[in-house]
Amino acid sequence: MNLNNKHVTIIGAGVAGLTAACCLADWDIHVSVLEKTPFPGGHAIQLTCKATDTCVKCGACIAEVKLSGAIRKPNVHIFTGTQMESISGQGPYRVHYRSHSPLVNADRCNGCGICFKKCPVPGTILQGQAPRVGPYVAIRRDLCRYFDNAACTLCRDSCPQGAIHFSNEATAGELKADAVLVATGFSPYNPAAKPYGYGLFQNVITSLDAERVLRDHYLMKRPTDGRTAQRIAFIQCVGSRDAKSGHLWCSKICCGSSLRMARLIQSRQENAEISFFYIDVQTFGKNFHSFYKEAQENIKMIRAIPGDIINTKMDELQVIYFDPDTHSSRDAIFDLVVLSVGLMPSAGNARMAGELGWPLDTQGFMPPRSSPNQPVPKGVFTIGTATGPMSIAESVSSAEQTAFEIIHFLGER
Amino acid sequence: MENKAENGVRGKESLSAEVMIFGDSVCAQRIAANLVDNGIGVCLAAGNGSSPASIIQDRVQWLSDTRLNHCHGFAGNFTLQIDHGHNQLKKTVQAIVVAEDDSRSPNYSQYRLTPGLRVVGLSDLEEKLKHSMTESFSGTDTRIVLLCGWRKDAHPSVARRMLEGCLQLQAQPGVSTYFMTGNMKVASAGSEELVHKAKQAGTVFFKFTGVFPTIQPQENGYFTIDYPDESTRNTFQLTADWVVVDETIEPANHLELLIQKLGIDQDHIGFAQSDNVRRLSNFTNRRGIFVAGGSRGVLSHAEQLADADQVSLNVLSFLGDLDGEPLAGVTIKQGLCARCLTCVRLCPHRAIEVGSRITVITEACQSCGICTAGCPGRAIEMEGVHIGLETIQRMNHLLAITFVEKPRIVVFGCMRSAGQSHTLIQVSGQALPEGVGFVEIPCGGTIAGRHLLGAFEAGADGVMLCICHTDNCQSEIGNVVARKRAESTRDLLASAGVETERLRIVSLSANMGNEFVYRIKAFIKDIVLLNNPQKENKNG
Amino acid sequence: MAENQPIHIEALNPDCCNQWLYQQDACLTCAMCASVCPVAGVDNYDPRKMVRMVSLGMVDQVVQSRWPWICTMCGKCEQSCPMGIDISDLTRKIRSLREGKHVPGILSKGLAAALETGNNLSLPKEDFIFILEDVGDEVAEEPGLEGFTVPIDKKGARILTTIHNKLVNTHTEDLKPWWRIFHAAGEDWTIASDNWEGTTWGYFTGDDEAMKVMAGRIVENMRRLEIDTLLWPE
Ligand SMILES: Cc1cc2nc3c(=O)[nH]c(=O)nc-3n(C[C@H](O)[C@H](O)[C@H](O)COP(=O)(O)OP(=O)(O)OC[C@H]3O[C@@H](n4cnc5c(N)ncnc54)[C@H](O)[C@@H]3O)c2cc1C
Ligand code: SF4
Ligand code: SF4
Ligand code: SF4
Ligand code: SF4
C-alpha cells in the first residue's frame, strides 16, 4: 500500500497522539501534530517513575519513548503552541490553525532558571519535562503580566542569554488532512469545590501535583515550608464516582497511580506513615494481587472518604473521617494531603466536537465510532483519554488500533 | 472487517502463508481476516478448535488438531514443524502471532463451594442467558446471589460481566439478585453506570472489607448465607436458590508449550508476554513474533477485538520493514569463536544461529550487546561501540584536569534510561558535577567486568553503573546480567584490596533527571569519605 | 435490635420505599456523609447507616429506633454525598412515619403548643412583650446604644424577624447581639407580637402539614405588617 501522498492531522501531542504519529509515520504518511501547550507529551510526560528498584509498570516512561520515537521520524511534524481554529471541506479536510511564536528562544535558552526566580506570578514560567522539541522553558501568555499593558518585563531583563522576546505574534496556517485524529486527552478534576480546602491550604495538593513534586524533588516536600512530609494522606475518587457532579464513572488510573506513589514514597522515606482513604480499590497491572497485599501491609487502608480538613495553627492538616472500625467520627493529623483527582472530559471537548461534527457522549467524552453505521464525519477518528478515562497502556492500545483503522481508511480511498 | 470480494477466494491448497497464527479465538480469526484483507497469506493453527467463521474460511489455510513441534529460524524466515493429526507439516513463514484464547475457571474454592446443581460459574450463566435458558431462574421469590472477588479481587472485566449477568437475572419475573463483593470493581468502561442501573433495577449490593460471609449448603440444595454488614452493623441471613461465582482468567493450558517451542518470554502468571512496559502492546522478546488477546493477559472481549487490529498493524508494519535496510549489527569474528555457545544462551532475542558457524542474524538482533560482553573469547564486536576505548579517553581527559579534593567518577548508563535522564538534566541547565564522566551504553548488558575494571585502571575513584529498573529492560535481562557482572567485579576489587563501595549499581528510568543527579551526588559524597577516611573520623 | 440475632433479608421489604425519590439505593457506602456528620457515632448513629437501612427495606426498624432523632438536620451529609442522595429529606420522611404519640416528648408537645398558641412555650402575648422590652432596656444602657427600643409590630418596616423560643426563655442574653447589629447597621426591623415562633419543629419531625401552618402564619404577619423581607434565623 502506498500512502506516501496522504496527510493526517493529529490534534493533541499526548501519549495517545504521539503513539499514533509513530504508527502512521511508519507507513510514510505525512503526520502533523498540533499541540496547544508549549510542550509535547501531555499529562503522562509530567508523571514520575514509580519504580522502587523494580519497575511497577506505571507506564510513565512510555511517554518519553513515544515522544523520542515521534521526533526521530522525518515525516512527523509537531507544532507546539498551536490550536486548531476551524476545519473545512468534506474530506480531504483543510485544517486551519494558529501558532503563537514561543516567547523563549530555544536556541538561546540554556535553562539556567533565573527567569523562574524573577517572575512575580507563580506558575507563569513553565519548565518542560521532555526537552526534545521547541523550547524547554516556556511562558504562559494567559498569566504573564507583560501582556497586561507591558506591566512587567523582569524575566526578559534578567535573562543572561537574551532568550526572551515578548510578542503577540501568531501565524495562521493551513494543513491538508485526508484524516483527522482527535487526541486531545482529559482535564484533571479541579477539587476546589470539595470540602478539602484545596486552593486555600497549600499542603492539600492533587495527585498530579504530587507526581510533579516527587519527580522534581525526589522526596515528598511540603509546599508551605519545603519540609519532607512524614504523615501523608491520600483521598481517592475526588471528582470521580460522583453522580451529583454528573461524573458517573471510575477514572480507572487513580487507585494504581496513588498506591504506587505511596509505596514509592515509603521506599525513599523510611519513616513515612501513609493513610489511604478509599471506597473500593481497583485492579491495576498484572501483579496487582501481590502489590496490593504489600500495600495493605504497609499502608493504613481506611475504607471511608473524609468529610473535612482543617489547617491547624501548627500548619498541620487535621482530616476528619468516619472510622469504619469504631463507627464514629475521628480525626487524624497529616503533614500533607493528596487528593486523587479524576479524569474529566477535556475542557475543550464541546468546542472540538462542534467544530468536527462529532457526537459527545452523555458524560462529555468523544467516544470512537461505536458501529460502522453510526453517522459520524468520514475520516475523523478519536483516541486516548479524549474518548474516556484510561491508562497510558490503554491509550497506547487505542492509538495503535485506530492507526490500523486509519490506514485501512486511507488505503480504500 | 468486511469480506472484500476483490481479494478473491483462493483455493485452500494453493494458499501460501506469510503469517502463522496460533489459536482459534475470535481475536485470532479477526487478525486473520485483517491480514487477508491486506493481501497477506495466513495460516491459522488451532490446537483442537472448530472451523473458523465463514468470512475467512475460504481465504486462509486452516489447520486443526495441531501441535507445534519445533520452531527454527528468525524474523522474516521462521520454519515451523507442526504435528497435524498423524502427519508432520513443515511451514515457512515470515511472522508468527500467538492468539490463543484464555482459560476461564469458576472460583468455587474461593467461596468454599463445590460445583453443584445450584452453583453456577459466570461463563455457564452467560451461556444460559445467551440461549434464553432462564426458566430455571425465574419463578416466585427466586433469590440469586452473585459472589465476586472476596478473598481474591476479581478482574474489572470479570466484575463487569457479573454485573451484566446480574442485570439480566434481575429482569426475570420473580427474581431478586444480591451482589456480594469485596472491592466493587468499576474500573472498566461503563461499569459504574451498570452498578447504578442494577441498583435501580432492585439488585441489593453488599461489600465486605475483612470479614466475609459463610455459605452453608442445605440438604434441599439451597444455601444459607450468614454475613455481617459493615454499614448497618447487623448480621444478616439469606437463603439463596442459586449462587453465581466469578471466575479466574488464566493462560490456556497449551500456551506453555507454545511459549517454550517459540522461545518467547512469559510473565509470572504464564501469559506469553513478559510483564514489561517495553513490550506494549503486542511485542515479545523476539522480532517477528507477536502476541495478542487472551495470550498476553486478561482482556475484555472488546479489548481482545481491539488487540486484533493493533497486532495486525504491527504485523503489517513489520512485514513492510523486512525489505528495508538491515540494521547496524553485531558480528562474530570466526577466528576467535570457540563455539562455547555462551552467546546463544545469553541472547534474549534469540538472534544467534548455530550452524556450521555461529552467526548473528541481523534481522533478529536488537544490538543489546549482552553477547559481546559475555563472550569469553571476546569474539563478538558491535558496530560503533568501543566502550573500553571511550572510557580510557574520557578518563585521560579527566586526569588532565588536576583535582584537589574532587574524586574522579565514571558513570556508565543505558541509553534508554540513564542516557535519556542525562539529556534531561543537560537541557534543564544542570550539569553533572565536576569530575564525573558519563559513558552512554546501548544496554546495561553491554558492560563486562573488564569495562568496569578498565575504568578503575584508568584512574577512576568510583564507578557507577546505571541500569533500567528490574522488569524494565528492553532486552529483558540486560540489567540482570549487568548486576551480576558488577557483583563479581566487586569480588575482584575486594581481592585486589579496593573497597567494594567504589562500584555502585543504580537503577533509573528515562524520566529521572533529578534523581540521576541526586544519586551521583550521594555517590561522590561516599567516595570523598573513602578517599579521606580521616575526614570521616572527624565528622563521626 | 438484638445484634446477635441475624436478620432475615427475605423478611425485609425494600420495595416498600422504592417509590421514594431520595435515591437511597444509589449509595456507594463511601461514608462521606458519616464523615461530615457532627453526631456520627452518637448512640451508634450515622447517616450512612440510615440510608443503607432504608435501602435494604429496614424501614420499620429505623422508624422505631432513636437514630432518626439524633440527627441535627444540619444537612451537611446531603451536601457532601457524591451520589446526590437526599439524606435530610429521607430522615424527615422517616421521622414523619412515627406515630404522633411516639415522637420524642419535647418535640411533639412543643409542636402541639405552637400550633395552638403560636409558640412552643404557650407564652402569653403580654409576657412576650414584657420580656422583649425588659431586655431592650438593658441594651439601651450599653454605651453607644442609648435610646434603643425594640420595634414591635412596626408596620412597613424593612425586615421582619422571627424569634427562637429559647431566646425569650433561658437564653435572653442571646437576643442582644442581634439587636446591637441592627442598631449599628441602622436597620429598619421589627418583631411580630403574635406567631413569632421561629423554630421549625414541624420540619424537624417531618410533619409537613404542621410546618405549612407555621409558615403560613409568618407570611400572614408579613402581609399584616406590610413587610416584604423576612429574617428567619433557624
Ligand atoms: C495524577 C495522575 C496520575 C496518573 N498516573 C498514571 C499512571 O500511573 N499510569 C497510567 O497508565 N496512567 C496514569 N494517568 C493517566 C495518564 O495520564 C493518561 O492515561 C494519559 O496521559 C492519556 O494520554 P492522552 O494522550 O490521551 O491525553 P493527554 O495526556 O491529556 O494529552 C492530550 C494532549 O492534547 C493537548 N490538547 C488538548 N486540547 C487540544 C487542542 N484543542 N488543540 C491542541 N492540543 C490540545 C493537550 O495539551 C495534551 O498535550 C495518570 C493521570 C493523572 C491525572
Ligand atoms: S513503567 Fe513506570 S515504574 Fe516502570 S520504569 Fe517506567 S516509569 Fe518507572
Ligand atoms: S480508580 Fe480508584 S480512586 Fe480512581 S475513581 Fe476509580 S475507584 Fe476511585
Ligand atoms: S547484541 Fe543482543 S540481541 Fe544481538 S545477538 Fe547479541 S545478545 Fe543477541
Ligand atoms: S455520602 Fe452518599 S453515597 Fe456516601 S455513604 Fe453517605 S449516602 Fe452513601
Side-chain angles (χ1 to χ4, degrees):
Chain A
M1 216 185 297
N2 184 6
L3 299 176
N4 67 8
N5 56 348
K6 299 289 183 189
H7 296 258
V8 174
T9 297
I10 301 177
I11 308 172
V15 70
L18 293 168
T19 303
C22 290
C23 293
L24 296 171
D26 279 345
W27 291 76
D28 297 334
I29 296 166
H30 301 273
V31 184
S32 307
V33 190
L34 308 186
E35 170 55 53
K36 70 172 177 191
T37 70
F39 307 111
H43 289 97
I45 210 112
Q46 305 167 30
L47 306 177
T48 183
C49 168
K50 302 171 194 76
T52 44
D53 239 348
T54 300
C55 164
V56 294
K57 289 91 184 179
C58 75
C61 55
I62 294 308
E64 317 272 339
V65 173
K66 296 297 176 192
L67 176 55
S68 45
I71 284 161
R72 239 182 277 127
K73 314 250 179 209
N75 49 337
V76 173
H77 292 278
I78 303 179
F79 299 74
T80 51
T82 301
Q83 289 257 42
M84 184 183 92
E85 291 279 295
S86 61
I87 186 166
S88 57
Q90 300 293 319
Y93 297 99
R94 305 210 73 83
V95 177
H96 309 273
Y97 66 84
R98 272 177 94 74
S99 284
H100 277 288
S101 58
L103 302 179
V104 181
N105 183 330
D107 299 331
R108 292 203 170 164
C109 168
N110 67 1
C112 68
I114 292 177
C115 53
F116 290 84
K117 294 187 193 109
K118 294 284 175 191
C119 178
V121 190
T124 303
I125 303 189
L126 301 174
Q127 196 168 12
Q129 298 289 6
R132 294 164 198 92
V133 269
Y136 185 65
V137 172
I139 299 174
R140 281 183 61 172
R141 264 163 229 280
D142 50 337
L143 296 179
C144 172
R145 290 180 46 205
Y146 174 83
F147 297 98
D148 176 14
N149 276 327
C152 168
T153 56
L154 281 172
C155 60
R156 182 184 70 191
D157 302 343
S158 62
C159 174
Q161 297 290 109
I164 298 176
H165 171 66
F166 290 119
S167 106
N168 228 341
E169 266 169 54
T171 44
E174 199 181 279
L175 293 164
K176 167 180 179 259
D178 296 291
V180 174
L181 179 56
V182 180
T184 47
F186 65 95
S187 296
Y189 177 73
N190 177 352
K194 294 285 166 190
Y196 302 133
Y198 180 75
L200 295 173
F201 311 150
Q202 282 185 49
N203 293 331
V204 176
I205 64 175
T206 68
S207 42
L208 194 57
D209 300 332
E211 295 261 3
R212 294 181 190 136
V213 171
L214 283 169
R215 189 177 162 131
D216 294 345
H217 302 292
Y218 186 70
L219 302 174
M220 201 69 230
K221 299 285 188 193
R222 280 165 38 111
T224 47
D225 51 14
R227 264 198 309 123
T228 304
Q230 288 289 330
R231 298 161 298 175
I232 302 166
F234 283 84
I235 301 179
Q236 295 306 105
C237 301
V238 178
S240 313
R241 309 189 71 182
D242 184 336
K244 199 195 256 167
S245 315
H247 309 157
L248 196 53
W249 64 80
C250 158
S251 294
K252 294 170 79 175
I253 52 89
C254 11
C255 280
S257 135
S258 293
L259 277 177
R260 284 164 171 157
M261 244 193 294
R263 295 292 292 138
L264 175 69
I265 295 168
Q266 287 182 327
S267 79
R268 294 179 177 179
Q269 301 172 208
E270 222 176 293
N271 305 321
E273 292 162 30
I274 300 184
S275 296
F276 189 84
F277 295 94
Y278 73 102
I279 307 174
D280 298 289
V281 173
Q282 302 302 322
T283 302
F284 45 90
K286 280 180 166 180
N287 61 346
F288 169 75
H289 293 288
S290 56
F291 186 90
Y292 184 37
K293 193 160 166 279
E294 250 181 58
Q296 284 172 309
E297 283 160 9
N298 293 287
I299 295 169
K300 195 164 172 207
M301 304 289 290
I302 303 167
R303 203 171 189 176
I305 300 298
D308 210 349
I309 296 180
I310 294 164
N311 208 28
T312 66
K313 286 199 183 104
M314 311 281 294
D315 201 21
E316 292 167 325
L317 296 163
Q318 184 186 6
V319 172
I320 297 160
Y321 67 97
F322 182 73
D323 181 3
D325 294 331
T326 61
H327 305 295
S328 58
S329 263
R330 269 199 59 167
D331 49 49
I333 299 287
F334 295 97
D335 301 318
L336 187 86
V337 174
V338 180
L339 308 177
S340 293
V341 292
L343 309 191
M344 304 292 125
S346 171
N349 270 12
R351 199 188 143 240
M352 184 63 62
E355 189 59 49
L356 294 171
W358 192 268
L360 282 183
D361 67 9
T362 50
Q363 305 178 324
F365 290 104
M366 301 173 72
R369 178 195 317 243
S370 54
S371 74
N373 315 327
Q374 195 190 355
V376 293
K378 237 173 126 61
V380 178
F381 301 85
T382 63
I383 54 170
T385 46
T387 67
M390 58 173 83
S391 68
I392 292 166
E394 289 169 313
S395 302
V396 168
S397 287
S398 119
E400 289 178 347
Q401 184 212 350
T402 309
F404 178 75
E405 271 181 56
I406 294 177
I407 284 160
H408 185 76
F409 167 79
L410 293 177
E412 267 185 346
R413 297 175 66 117
Chain B
M1 201 136 297
E2 311 89 320
N3 182 355
K4 284 205 287 151
E6 62 266 36
N7 279 321
V9 175
R10 291 191 267 177
K12 201 172 165 184
E13 304 312 314
S14 64
L15 289 181
S16 74
E18 285 121 327
V19 177
M20 172 66 88
I21 302 173
F22 289 101
D24 63 342
S25 59
V26 281
C27 176
Q29 301 199 20
R30 185 164 168 136
I31 300 167
N34 284 343
L35 293 178
V36 291
D37 279 349
N38 280 283
I40 305 291
V42 168
C43 179
L44 260 174
N48 43 15
S50 47
S51 59
S54 56
I55 71 156
I56 51 167
Q57 222 163 37
D58 301 324
R59 299 191 293 151
V60 300
Q61 287 183 40
W62 171 257
L63 303 172
S64 63
D65 191 15
T66 58
R67 184 176 179 280
L68 178 64
N69 229 334
H70 217 299
C71 171
H72 283 299
F74 44 84
N77 189 10
F78 293 103
T79 306
L80 301 167
Q81 272 174 27
I82 298 171
D83 287 347
H84 177 41
H86 297 292
N87 305 324
Q88 281 247 338
L89 276 180
K90 202 165 156 184
K91 287 261 157 207
T92 305
V93 293
Q94 299 181 333
I96 298 169
V97 183
V98 181
E100 298 281 356
D101 240 334
D102 49 35
S103 135
R104 305 176 170 201
S105 43
N107 290 332
Y108 298 118
S109 61
Q110 194 191 136
Y111 306 103
R112 316 227 156 97
L113 288 167
T114 43
L117 217 52
R118 292 182 170 274
V119 187
V120 190
L122 174 57
S123 287
D124 284 350
L125 174 72
E126 285 172 329
E127 237 359 76
K128 286 201 165 111
L129 290 170
K130 195 157 112 199
H131 299 106
S132 329
M133 288 154 53
T134 45
E135 325 72 70
S136 51
F137 291 133
S138 43
T140 41
D141 241 6
T142 306
R143 281 181 293 277
I144 306 179
V145 181
L146 295 100
L147 313 176
C148 189
W150 287 7
R151 287 169 192 89
K152 190 167 186 210
D153 283 52
H155 192 273
S157 69
V158 171
R160 196 197 144 102
R161 287 164 49 213
M162 294 287 280
L163 285 167
E164 280 163 352
C166 180
L167 257 169
Q168 287 190 48
L169 289 173
Q170 181 68 27
Q172 302 294 319
V175 170
S176 319
T177 53
Y178 300 85
F179 200 101
M180 296 187 175
T181 182
N183 281 312
M184 182 74 236
K185 299 285 177 175
V186 283
S188 180
S191 281
E192 190 78 59
E193 270 175 294
L194 274 179
V195 173
H196 201 62
K197 267 194 203 141
K199 284 174 178 171
Q200 282 171 337
T203 303
V204 178
F205 284 76
F206 289 100
K207 297 199 292 191
F208 307 97
T209 310
V211 185
F212 293 95
T214 51
I215 307 176
Q216 284 296 328
Q218 291 178 346
E219 276 176 14
N220 55 11
Y222 297 88
F223 299 91
T224 308
I225 306 181
D226 284 285
Y227 57 99
D229 175 54
E230 293 171 12
S231 45
T232 62
R233 273 155 274 154
N234 290 121
T235 47
F236 284 96
Q237 193 176 72
L238 169 66
T239 308
D241 299 58
W242 298 85
V243 295
V244 179
V245 299
D246 63 353
E247 59 189 20
T248 299
I249 300 187
E250 284 166 322
N253 280 333
H254 52 281
L255 196 61
E256 177 85 39
L257 184 84
L258 262 181
I259 290 171
Q260 265 175 26
K261 300 283 180 192
L262 292 174
I264 51 178
D265 288 334
Q266 118 189 81
D267 65 13
H268 64 280
I269 313 169
F271 288 107
Q273 190 186 39
S274 60
D275 189 8
N276 181 337
V277 293
R278 300 199 186 260
R279 300 282 173 260
L280 287 175
S281 302
N282 303 96
F283 296 99
T284 66
N285 52 313
R286 296 193 68 180
R287 279 190 82 215
I289 304 186
F290 302 85
V291 57
S295 289
R296 75 171 177 105
V298 181
L299 270 66
S300 70
H301 183 73
E303 286 168 339
Q304 294 195 0
L305 293 179
D307 231 35
D309 289 0
Q310 259 160 253
V311 86
S312 305
L313 178 75
N314 290 326
V315 170
L316 290 172
S317 298
F318 166 76
L319 293 177
D321 273 357
L322 277 178
D323 314 326
E325 285 169 37
L327 304 161
V330 169
T331 44
I332 302 185
K333 283 204 222 138
Q334 296 303 328
L336 295 175
C337 170
R339 289 187 74 90
C340 68
L341 304 188
T342 306
C343 56
V344 179
R345 256 191 309 107
L346 281 174
C347 176
H349 305 295
R350 301 248 172 167
I352 299 179
E353 199 180 35
V354 184
S356 56
R357 332 164 85 192
I358 314 277
T359 41
V360 175
I361 309 298
T362 327
E363 287 79 0
C365 170
Q366 300 189 14
S367 295
C368 63
I370 294 175
C371 57
T372 321
C375 175
R378 296 223 210 162
I380 311 182
E381 274 184 355
M382 270 179 90
E383 214 169 285
V385 180
H386 310 284
I387 298 161
L389 201 69
E390 193 176 327
T391 316
I392 306 290
Q393 279 169 355
R394 208 170 268 275
M395 286 318 302
N396 287 339
H397 177 70
L398 286 179
L399 287 167
I401 314 165
T402 41
F403 295 113
V404 192
E405 274 223 344
K406 298 232 167 60
R408 290 169 292 248
I409 308 283
V410 173
V411 180
F412 292 103
C414 166
M415 66 175 188
R416 289 194 170 80
S417 47
Q420 306 254 354
S421 290
H422 182 231
T423 320
L424 214 62
I425 57 174
Q426 279 182 321
V427 191
S428 67
Q430 302 178 60
L432 291 182
E434 269 179 35
V436 176
F438 180 68
V439 184
E440 189 173 279
I441 49 178
C443 169
T446 320
I447 287 292
R450 62 174 186 274
H451 300 123
L452 301 170
L453 289 175
F456 282 111
E457 279 162 19
D461 294 306
V463 175
M464 190 161 127
L465 174 60
C466 301
I467 53 181
C468 298
H469 296 296
T470 308
D471 285 0
N472 190 254
C473 172
Q474 171 72 27
S475 294
E476 216 68 54
I477 56 157
N479 48 4
V480 181
V481 295
R483 202 176 274 277
K484 268 204 201 125
R485 288 168 184 166
E487 269 154 18
S488 42
T489 308
R490 275 218 186 113
D491 296 343
L492 289 178
L493 289 178
S495 55
V498 178
E499 299 93 335
T500 53
E501 294 88 340
R502 292 189 183 271
L503 174 56
R504 179 163 296 179
I505 310 159
V506 160
S507 60
L508 278 182
S509 68
N511 50 10
M512 283 185 153
N514 292 313
E515 174 156 6
F516 189 34
V517 177
Y518 184 92
R519 295 295 193 108
I520 291 177
K521 287 188 174 156
F523 186 48
I524 293 178
K525 221 164 135 191
D526 294 347
I527 295 293
V528 168
L529 287 180
L530 283 175
N531 285 354
N532 312 295
Q534 331 71 295
K535 215 171 163 180
E536 186 181 19
N537 292 342
K538 245 191 279 169
N539 292 348
Chain C
M1 223 168 308
E3 297 269 331
N4 44 6
Q5 275 287 318
I7 296 168
H8 291 270
I9 195 116
E10 358 352 21
L12 301 174
N13 179 17
D15 294 342
C16 76
C17 40
N18 62 10
Q19 300 303 317
W20 295 1
L21 297 175
Y22 311 121
Q23 302 284 336
Q24 68 274 7
D25 295 341
C27 175
L28 290 173
T29 63
C30 69
M32 199 159 168
C33 52
S35 294
V36 293
C37 175
V39 292
V42 173
D43 279 357
N44 283 327
Y45 166 77
D46 71 81
R48 176 177 71 172
K49 181 182 202 162
M50 277 254 319
V51 170
R52 285 289 289 164
M53 285 181 79
V54 174
S55 172
L56 292 173
M58 298 172 70
V59 176
D60 293 346
Q61 288 92 325
V62 192
V63 170
Q64 278 149 35
S65 73
R66 271 176 57 79
W67 297 319
W69 304 96
I70 293 170
C71 164
T72 66
M73 278 285 145
C74 69
K76 281 178 83 179
C77 52
E78 178 166 321
Q79 202 183 23
S80 69
C81 173
M83 296 307 284
I85 299 170
D86 300 330
I87 310 176
S88 306
D89 283 344
L90 178 67
T91 307
R92 291 196 330 104
K93 176 76 183 178
I94 293 292
R95 288 181 179 181
S96 77
L97 292 179
R98 203 180 256 206
E99 268 180 76
K101 60 176 189 275
H102 296 299
V103 170
I106 177 158
L107 290 173
S108 60
K109 280 191 204 129
L111 183 57
L115 288 172
E116 203 187 311
T117 68
N119 69 75
N120 289 13
L121 304 172
S122 303
L123 190 69
K125 185 170 175 171
E126 314 77 64
D127 295 3
F128 177 67
I129 294 174
F130 176 79
I131 293 168
L132 292 185
E133 286 175 350
D134 197 35
V135 178
D137 290 346
E138 285 174 35
V139 170
E141 282 165 23
E142 295 176 19
L145 287 149
E146 296 82 4
F148 175 85
T149 54
V150 186
I152 298 172
D153 289 334
K154 181 176 173 203
K155 236 186 183 163
R158 205 180 75 85
I159 289 179
L160 173 71
T161 178
T162 61
I163 298 286
H164 187 299
N165 61 69
K166 160 177 96 176
L167 300 191
V168 286
N169 186 11
T170 50
H171 288 65
T172 48
E173 276 303 306
D174 293 353
L175 284 169
K176 293 178 181 171
W178 292 97
W179 295 356
R180 291 185 196 118
I181 292 170
F182 288 144
H183 185 78
E187 191 52 82
D188 182 12
W189 64 288
T190 188
I191 296 172
S193 57
D194 285 308
N195 297 328
W196 44 265
E197 178 62 83
T199 59
T200 50
W201 287 4
Y203 178 82
F204 213 63
T205 54
D207 188 341
D208 289 350
E209 281 312 310
M211 199 57 226
K212 258 186 218 156
V213 173
M214 299 295 291
R217 288 173 178 172
I218 292 169
V219 173
E220 180 45 39
N221 275 341
M222 292 172 74
R223 286 214 184 94
R224 176 170 63 85
L225 298 172
E226 295 163 13
I227 297 174
D228 55 17
T229 307
L230 174 69
L231 180 66
W232 193 350
E234 255 298 279

